[in-house]
Amino acid sequence: MTTEQIRTEAPTRTGWAAYGREWKLVPGRALYLILAFALAMTAVSVLAGLFWTGVGLLILIVGLPIIMLSLFVARGFGLADRYLLLLTGLPEIAEPEWDREVTRSEGFWATISRPLRNGHYWTYLLHGMIVSPIVSTVTFALTTVWLSVSLGGLTFWFWGAFIPRGDGTGEWGQYVSAAMPWLFGGWSSFTVEVTLYLIAGVIFAVTLPWVMSGLARFQYLIARGLLGRWASDDLAAEARAEAAARTSAVQAESAGLRRLERDIHDGPQQRLVRLQLDLAALERRAAAGDTEAAAELAREAQGHAKAALDELRALSSGVAPPLLQDRGLAAALAGVAAASALPVSLDIDPAVDAAVPAEVARTVYFVIAELITNAVKHAGASAATLKVSLRPGETPPMLDVWVVDNGRGGAHMVPGHGLEGLRDRIAGLRGVLVVDSPLGGPTAVGVHIPLASTIAAAPATA
């Protein structure tokens, strides 16, 4: 086979494959177009009755609740239409923002009347009461025509023989043969009808996938515009996510500061107070000439000073470890693994140093250090694995961190305890913390944090 033959046959194969895929979707699309018509007729009868009754009774108190009821019913019909669209094989229409959150500052009437102030309810009402009935009537008529002509034309040779016929006079096949004797001269009326029906059936059957696709896509585009998400929905969801992340970050920071204050008070502060008392006693012993007691107090003071310094270093490492600032996240996590009381296998993508911002790196370092400490103290593990990788192909790119230990398992979120605090820290970065810890182990804790899209190219330039 020559190169030119391959080039000409490849598009042909692709075209036939696409045509075959369209044929596979014909039953679902035809079923949707028929069911959508029945749904639209039901919707217009219910919604029109409810809505216009509410409008007519607006002068009374009961009118507004009836209109609100019609909005909720319209939402139900719209959801049903969206789910029926799944039969067509087209992408699912994204769920709109229904403004489900209720704030305490809103009064009773403001709360129950929120559907009246949500544009999605009104577009669902418009779709169910006006747009869908009109569009569905047209698409249903074309669907039934194409299906009936395709099936009826291809099978008329069989079922047409059972239709009672006269002597042939007055039948439309006779008129066609008389009008075109050069083509159908001498043919019987039934033979002409079978031939023409078969030609029409073949034409309509061949074009059936394209017609069903066009009608379904027409319905889909209208539904996506009236029943789907708006750009403002994404902005509102983004604003709520930012607010939730900010709240989680503030709560995690507040808890961290309280814990740091408690640790300083219980550790270095007590040792420094003891050091102050020892130095005062040392001064008195030195003034009295008791050199041996003074030397003993000096040694004790030196021990307290060293212990206080070690505790301050340990506390500072949980806030901003020097290794993280000097050599990056990969080296800092390797240092945590090396200092751990149990062996930790490392699988760290070196690109994380260039890709992960400083604020994310600090949180990841703290979370990993805490998870490895928990594996030692609470899980009774004898080994652990730390895996850090990037997913740069997504938007935004993601940082994935997994800590897996072979301990006893059974770890779960408890309000006010360790894992809950770690989850708040991760939530402050719009990330999630996943815990999979069946009884008997192993325990796998995953941290998934979205990174800014501006750093997607950072690994390539590192």
Side-chain angles (χ1 to χ4, degrees), residues 38 113 185-186 188 235 247 261 365:
S113 64
S188 67
L235 293 176
T247 301
E261 180 183 11
Y365 173 87

Side-chain angles (χ1 to χ4, degrees), residues 41-415:
M41 295 301 103
T42 306
V44 68
S45 60
V46 174
L47 294 177
L50 280 175
F51 179 76
W52 293 117
T53 299
V55 171
L57 296 176
L58 272 178
I59 194 173
L60 303 176
I61 300 178
V62 297
L64 189 60
I66 295 177
I67 292 178
M68 291 176 56
L69 177 61
S70 68
L71 293 177
F72 281 109
V73 174
R75 176 179 171 180
F77 280 115
L79 292 176
D81 198 334
R82 280 174 42 206
Y83 285 116
L84 283 177
L85 274 167
L86 297 177
L87 295 171
T88 64
L90 297 172
E92 183 178 358
I93 297 177
E95 181 79 13
E97 290 293 319
W98 296 108
D99 205 15
R100 298 185 180 93
E101 294 80 5
V102 178
T103 60
R104 295 182 180 180
S105 60
E106 293 184 344
F108 173 74
W109 286 108
T111 301
I112 66 172
S113 64
R114 295 180 86 173
L116 297 174
R117 296 179 280 116
N118 189 320
H120 285 296
Y121 282 95
W122 292 101
T123 57
Y124 271 58
L125 180 67
L126 176 65
H127 179 269
M129 196 168 65
I130 298 176
V131 177
S132 182
I134 296 175
V135 174
S136 296
T137 300
V138 176
T139 57
F140 175 76
L142 292 174
T143 299
T144 53
V145 167
W146 242 263
L147 289 176
S148 59
V149 174
S150 299
L151 298 176
L154 293 175
T155 59
F156 180 76
W157 59 271
F158 173 74
W159 58 268
F162 296 94
I163 299 176
R165 310 180 67 86
D167 56 359
T169 59
E171 297 176 357
W172 69 272
Q174 182 184 16
Y175 293 119
V176 173
S177 61
M180 293 185 291
W182 51 273
L183 183 60
F184 299 110
W187 290 27
S188 67
S189 175
F190 180 72
T191 303
V192 173
E193 292 176 9
V194 167
T195 302
L196 295 180
Y197 272 126
L198 185 60
I199 294 174
V202 170
I203 294 174
F204 275 70
V206 169
T207 58
L208 182 64
W210 299 322
V211 173
M212 294 296 103
S213 175
L215 296 177
R217 291 178 187 275
F218 182 57
Q219 290 266 73
Y220 175 81
L221 291 175
I222 294 176
R224 188 175 65 179
L226 293 177
L227 307 181
R229 289 178 71 85
W230 301 340
S232 58
D233 292 339
D234 296 330
L235 293 176
E238 184 73 15
R240 281 199 301 273
E242 287 290 348
R246 185 166 55 250
T247 301
S248 297
V250 170
Q251 292 175 348
E253 190 68 20
S254 177
L257 289 175
R258 289 195 302 268
R259 183 172 55 254
L260 181 62
E261 180 183 11
R262 183 183 65 249
D263 293 340
I264 292 176
H265 179 272
D266 295 341
Q269 181 176 341
Q270 298 298 324
R271 293 189 180 276
L272 291 175
V273 170
R274 176 62 184 275
L275 177 61
Q276 183 181 15
L277 295 175
D278 289 345
L279 291 175
L282 174 61
E283 182 181 12
R284 292 193 298 269
R285 294 292 189 275
D290 189 353
T291 57
E292 293 184 2
E296 180 66 24
L297 288 173
R299 286 191 293 270
E300 291 182 3
Q302 184 181 9
H304 289 305
K306 183 178 183 301
L309 181 60
D310 292 339
E311 290 182 356
L312 286 173
R313 285 175 177 171
L315 291 174
S316 66
S317 66
V319 178
L323 185 60
L324 176 61
Q325 296 178 346
D326 298 338
R327 298 182 56 188
L329 180 60
L333 294 179
V336 171
S340 175
L342 76 165
V344 179
S345 301
L346 296 178
D347 183 6
I348 301 177
D349 187 347
V352 297
D353 289 335
V356 179
E359 61 274 12
V360 177
R362 284 194 297 270
T363 300
V364 170
Y365 173 87
F366 176 84
V367 171
I368 297 307
E370 188 75 13
L371 290 175
I372 293 179
T373 302
N374 290 343
V376 176
K377 294 172 59 177
H378 306 299
S382 60
T385 300
L386 171 60
K387 179 178 175 61
V388 183
S389 60
L390 294 170
R391 280 185 280 163
E394 298 189 5
T395 305
M398 296 289 294
L399 172 68
D400 295 326
V401 181
W402 286 97
V403 177
V404 183
D405 66 68
N406 61 354
R408 64 178 64 95
H412 58 281
M413 300 282 184
V414 178

Side-chain angles (χ1 to χ4, degrees), residues 20-37:
R21 288 193 297 269
E22 291 295 326
W23 256 111
K24 292 179 181 179
L25 295 173
V26 165
R29 290 172 175 175
L31 180 61
Y32 164 74
L33 293 169
I34 295 172
L35 295 178
F37 174 73

